[in-house]
């Protein structure tokens, strides 16, 4: 697995982890915000396919763990993460 200074979201968007100051669950997914509370990215979680509340909590934890990692880190395998929450 390659390592990178970027975080790739499931939709293909890349974000530098040091820019992320917060991640929180919303009604339809997880929102990533910067220090000015502006949205940097969004991870959609379909409640008809996944146990949405558990999946959103796990995604927030993964994002915050990745932000705490200094320097290059292994990419998050989003398919594997979400697979565990399928209904």
């Amino acid at each position: 697995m390659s390592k990178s200074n970027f975080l790739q979201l499931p939709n293909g968007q890349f974000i530098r982890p040091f820019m992320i100051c917060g991640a929180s669950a919303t009604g339809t997914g997880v929102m990533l915000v910067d220090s000015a509370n502006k949205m940097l990215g969004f991870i959609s979680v379909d409640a008809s396919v996944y146990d949405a509340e558990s999946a959103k909590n796990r995604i927030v934890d993964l994002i915050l763990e990745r932000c705490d990692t200094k320097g290059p880190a292994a990419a998050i395998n989003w398919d594997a993460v979400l697979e565990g929450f399928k209904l």
Side-chain angles (χ1 to χ4, degrees):
M1 181 177 288
S2 66
K3 293 191 175 198
S4 174
N5 285 330
F6 291 92
L7 172 65
Q8 184 176 12
L9 302 184
N11 64 5
Q13 178 184 3
F14 287 91
I15 299 175
R16 290 186 181 270
F18 71 85
M19 295 178 66
I20 300 170
C21 288
S24 61
T26 67
T28 58
V30 175
M31 181 172 57
L32 310 175
V33 296
D34 65 7
S35 61
N37 211 29
K38 292 184 181 178
M39 187 169 77
L40 293 172
F42 186 79
I43 300 170
S44 180
V45 179
D46 186 352
S48 66
V49 178
Y50 304 105
D51 175 8
E53 294 308 312
S54 298
K56 289 186 276 187
N57 290 333
R58 179 65 181 135
I59 290 169
V60 167
D61 290 344
L62 285 171
I63 295 292
L64 296 178
E65 286 173 19
R66 175 58 182 96
C67 291
D68 287 341
T69 303
K70 302 296 182 205
I76 297 171
N77 183 346
W78 293 110
D79 291 332
V81 169
L82 292 172
E83 183 68 31
F85 296 101
K86 280 198 173 179
L87 296 176

